[in-house]
Amino acid sequence: MSFSKEDILRIAKDENVRFIRLQFTDLLGTIKNVEIPVSQLEKALDNKMMFDGSSIEGYVRIEESDMYLYPDLSTWVIFPWFSDNRVARLICDVYMPDGTPFAGDPRGILKRCLKEAEEMGFTAMNVGPEPEFFLFRTDEKGNPTTELNDQGGYFDLAPMDLGENCRREIVLTLEEMGFEIEASHHEVAYGQHEIDFKYADAIKAADQIQTFKLVVKTVARQHGLHATFMPKPLFGMNGSGMHAHQSLFNGNENVFYDENDPLGLSKTARYYMAGILKHARAFAAITNPTVNSYKRLVPGYEAPCYVAWSASNRSPMIRIPASRGLSTRIEVRNPDPAANPYLALAVMLKAGLDGIKRQLDLPAPIDRNIYVMSEEERIEEGIPSLPADLKEALSEMIRSYVITDALGEHALAHFYELKEIEWDIYRTQVHEWERDQYMTLY
């Protein structure tokens, strides 16, 4: 919805809103906020609310810490789970004291990439995200356990799906906050769930992913459960993905659609896909940003490990859903829900735009099950693998001009440093598996 400053002040008064969370996202994708009393709302709406950026991951040094939050008025929403002392939310862009956008703001980075798309004649990038999550039981202190809350499977219902009531309440809460929910169901693994909401333009879609995560975690906690978007919480079970359906529009025209093409795909769509495939290994560090992400990207668990595309086959990285016309789109299947959604959409868009600019050739589709192909067959077909671990992904990212340009110097340097530290901590840690394997053997 579109709100004016006057609308928000009026609604806050009429609905007895007492506090407002000015929300933004750090470089790692974690939601942050500055909470203000309603008496400071007008000041915030005038873009005069300052905060200390030196305390936020990937932002600025202590000697340049003052930053400003500019609320996006279209993101105004009242949280439905506060009955007394009602709380509302505004998602903000981050600005420097001189009035320029902060180069390391993930939302701003996505806006920069969208501006490039606009200069190329595309008025919108539409995105339909599919973030999956697990529900675990909590202990008597409210801490998460590794005990799943059900033993349901794909599309199961109660009594097998014991998360059904929690999932329904999540859906109702999301709808109350303005989401248009298309479907919700149990996923393949025990305790795993998916809720699909309607596509939106890229900025709104990324905002919705962040709001979705907050709602899922909040409602789960009210049911005595812990919701996690960790990509692979349990060995031997499917991990959680965040498939990203995407298309480009020019006004009301879906430029990915061509009714004269056998698959209904335009040259623009094919160039865009070629760009995604060309840069997939380089943007994996952003779309799959944790050590744990690469435990999901292994054969046998319905996660794409191979850089290929198909009109129907679900083993490649890109699939083309059956809908055509305005609904023509590609589904990029490798991202996971640990990704910062603003950065993930930015690098995928940048990769696709590079394909369009350079009119890259799209490889032939792979309509066989890649999981059962031998390594020799994959090499013969020219099918690369996604990076095997975070270290390899970081190395690919840093060598790619397209992806580093999408992030910009500030975000690139800080993200790379944070992830190098994460990898080094993981590399030097002694894990339980090692003790199980080696303690008595040697």
Side-chain angles (χ1 to χ4, degrees):
M1 293 180 65
S2 178
F3 296 100
S4 67
K5 173 182 172 181
E6 291 71 27
D7 289 335
I8 290 174
L9 291 170
R10 175 181 51 79
I11 294 169
K13 182 177 179 181
D14 291 348
E15 297 293 333
N16 195 32
V17 172
R18 302 298 300 274
F19 297 94
I20 295 89
R21 291 180 180 175
L22 303 178
Q23 180 182 305
F24 59 102
T25 298
D26 73 10
L27 203 55
L28 298 181
T30 305
I31 299 171
K32 302 291 184 180
N33 78 99
V34 175
E35 187 167 274
I36 59 172
V38 72
S39 60
Q40 298 297 304
L41 177 56
E42 189 165 5
K43 177 181 176 181
L45 296 174
D46 289 334
N47 301 330
K48 294 179 179 177
M49 192 57 60
M50 191 168 63
F51 76 103
D52 177 8
S54 67
S55 300
I56 306 300
E57 252 348 330
Y59 271 36
V60 292
R61 299 168 297 181
I62 195 166
E63 63 266 28
E64 51 186 14
S65 59
D66 289 346
M67 310 185 86
Y68 286 83
L69 295 172
Y70 284 30
D72 181 338
L73 304 192
S74 70
T75 65
W76 167 263
V77 70
I78 299 173
F79 290 126
W81 50 76
F82 295 101
S83 53
D84 301 323
N85 296 325
R86 302 195 75 189
V87 178
R89 184 283 314 273
L90 284 162
I91 295 176
C92 302
D93 295 306
V94 182
Y95 277 72
M96 303 300 289
D98 63 2
T100 58
F102 169 49
D105 175 22
R107 202 169 189 261
I109 289 169
L110 177 54
K111 285 187 172 183
R112 288 204 306 267
C113 293
L114 288 167
K115 181 67 175 175
E116 182 178 337
E118 186 180 343
E119 291 168 355
M120 293 173 62
F122 307 116
T123 57
M125 176 197 192
N126 281 348
V127 179
E130 297 179 346
E132 298 167 341
F133 60 94
F134 278 83
L135 292 175
F136 287 90
R137 291 177 177 164
T138 54
D139 63 19
E140 62 279 359
K141 295 181 179 179
N143 296 318
T145 68
T146 55
E147 185 181 355
L148 292 163
N149 78 304
D150 69 64
Q151 292 187 322
Y154 204 41
F155 292 125
D156 272 350
L157 24 121
M160 294 298 289
D161 177 6
L162 299 180
E164 191 176 78
N165 290 338
C166 177
R167 197 172 65 234
R168 281 178 177 163
E169 190 168 330
I170 290 169
V171 168
L172 293 173
T173 303
L174 290 168
E175 287 184 329
E176 195 171 342
M177 295 176 71
F179 280 67
E180 184 174 338
I181 303 300
E182 295 187 333
S184 75
H185 60 86
H186 199 287
E187 259 296 338
V188 174
Y190 296 164
Q192 188 184 32
H193 304 269
E194 180 179 315
I195 298 172
D196 300 330
F197 40 95
K198 188 177 181 180
Y199 71 87
D201 66 85
I203 291 292
K204 183 177 180 181
D207 289 344
Q208 287 183 324
I209 291 168
Q210 295 297 75
T211 302
F212 176 81
K213 290 180 178 180
L214 179 64
V215 170
V216 168
K217 286 180 172 289
T218 300
V219 174
R221 189 169 63 243
Q222 293 169 351
H223 283 255
L225 300 170
H226 174 76
T228 181
F229 292 91
M230 180 180 178
K232 183 84 167 185
L234 295 171
F235 172 72
M237 297 177 68
N238 284 26
S240 291
M242 187 174 68
H243 302 168
H245 296 249
Q246 49 200 279
S247 57
L248 295 178
F249 272 67
N250 184 359
N252 294 322
E253 177 193 0
N254 184 344
V255 298
F256 276 13
Y257 177 58
D258 181 354
E259 63 180 4
N260 297 314
D261 181 80
L263 290 177
L265 296 175
S266 68
K267 288 184 178 179
T268 300
R270 292 173 180 272
Y271 293 146
Y272 187 96
M273 268 200 292
I276 293 281
L277 295 174
K278 174 75 173 177
H279 300 292
R281 286 176 55 82
F283 66 58
I286 302 297
T287 56
N288 306 89
T290 70
V291 165
N292 181 254
S293 296
Y294 298 87
K295 306 291 179 73
R296 166 181 168 256
L297 298 178
V298 295
Y301 297 97
E302 298 191 6
C305 334
Y306 305 111
V307 182
W309 75 281
S310 172
S312 56
N313 183 6
R314 290 175 184 265
S315 63
M317 195 185 96
I318 298 178
R319 184 180 75 92
I320 311 300
S323 300
R324 292 296 180 266
L326 288 177
S327 298
T328 303
R329 62 197 187 273
I330 71 169
E331 178 189 8
V332 184
R333 297 169 58 80
N334 69 294
D336 68 51
N340 182 321
Y342 302 101
L343 297 185
L345 295 183
V347 295
M348 286 189 285
L349 174 60
K350 187 78 171 180
L353 294 179
D354 183 62
I356 295 171
K357 287 179 186 176
R358 296 165 57 195
Q359 297 189 358
L360 295 177
D361 290 331
L362 181 65
I366 304 297
D367 295 325
R368 297 171 55 194
N369 184 351
I370 304 177
Y371 297 136
V372 301
M373 294 170 66
S374 67
E375 185 176 358
E376 290 75 18
E377 288 176 307
R378 292 197 301 271
I379 292 172
E380 187 176 334
E381 293 281 356
I383 304 173
S385 297
L386 286 166
D389 55 43
L390 181 60
K391 178 64 174 176
E392 184 181 346
L394 291 171
S395 298
E396 291 283 344
M397 179 187 73
I398 206 72
R399 290 199 297 265
S400 169
Y401 170 76
V402 170
I403 304 307
T404 56
D405 185 58
L407 297 174
E409 290 184 12
H410 182 101
L412 173 67
H414 285 80
F415 182 87
Y416 187 82
E417 180 184 10
L418 290 168
K419 290 299 168 179
E420 280 275 279
I421 292 170
E422 179 181 332
W423 174 256
D424 201 52
I425 292 172
Y426 171 74
R427 181 184 64 83
T428 57
Q429 181 63 256
V430 178
H431 301 273
E432 190 64 33
W433 181 90
E434 296 170 89
R435 283 188 285 271
D436 291 341
Q437 292 291 314
Y438 307 134
M439 188 75 86
T440 57
L441 184 61
Y442 297 105

